[in-house]
Amino acid sequence: MQTDWLLLRCVCGQSFGARRGSKASCIRCGESKQITTAAVFSDPNKLTEAVAKANLPREIRDEISRKLDDKKRRQLKTRNHANSSTIQFILGQSTDERGILTLSSLHNILQREGITDPSPEQIIGVAELQGVVQRVGNEEWKWLA
Ligand SMILES: [Zn+2]
């Protein structure tokens, strides 16, 4: 049988958790009658989380959700900042059938994908360091991977 875990809220403002069917009384003021059930969980870990969140002062809660919004906005703003799997893809796209990669082909693909950061030079630099490409001529690299 599944046990339900309750997020309870006391009239004094304190939130706390209890197992369904247990005699619950407020951990702050001891009140046991004027208690409302705010949420029900089947996972006690979820309940613990919810209790912690419910007891955060409102200012902190607002601050946290503001920070999350900021983070989301920043993520949107840095969409043309490529991650490593995108760079792998870009390198693959820039390499011709002979396995040759040039600075200008890399530049073209980056432009096509709308990526401004990192630059083609930076990408080549990292790929060279990782031993993925080897310089074979003037602004030409051979794909080794
Ligand atoms: Zn209370």
Side-chain angles (χ1 to χ4, degrees), residues 78-142:
T78 55
R79 254 180 80 173
N80 43 8
H81 183 110
N83 61 26
S84 65
S85 65
T86 309
I87 290 173
Q88 288 285 317
F89 169 77
I90 298 289
L91 281 169
Q93 291 284 301
S94 315
T95 305
D96 68 13
E97 60 281 357
R98 296 168 301 142
I100 297 294
L101 180 72
T102 66
L103 205 56
S104 65
S105 69
L106 188 55
H107 181 79
N108 290 340
I109 302 291
L110 284 172
Q111 210 159 40
R112 194 191 72 192
E113 300 294 321
I115 294 166
T116 52
D117 182 27
S119 69
E121 291 82 2
Q122 282 174 318
I123 291 179
I124 280 289
V126 170
E128 251 182 333
L129 275 177
Q130 291 176 338
V132 180
V133 296
Q134 187 182 31
R135 187 187 284 268
V136 291
N138 186 30
E139 296 191 346
E140 269 193 8
W141 288 263
K142 187 164 178 50

Side-chain angles (χ1 to χ4, degrees), residues 31-62:
E31 173 64 51
S32 62
K33 293 190 179 64
Q34 301 188 71
I35 290 185
T36 52
T37 302
V40 181
F41 301 92
S42 55
D43 179 352
N45 294 320
K46 288 256 164 29
L47 171 65
T48 309
E49 247 173 62
V51 170
K53 213 161 130 188
N55 284 326
L56 281 177
R58 174 170 290 281
E59 315 83 69
I60 295 180
R61 229 181 308 167
D62 289 349

Side-chain angles (χ1 to χ4, degrees), residues 10-14 26-31:
C10 174
V11 69
C12 77
Q14 178 75 32
C26 176
I27 55 171
R28 182 154 86 187
C29 69
E31 173 64 51

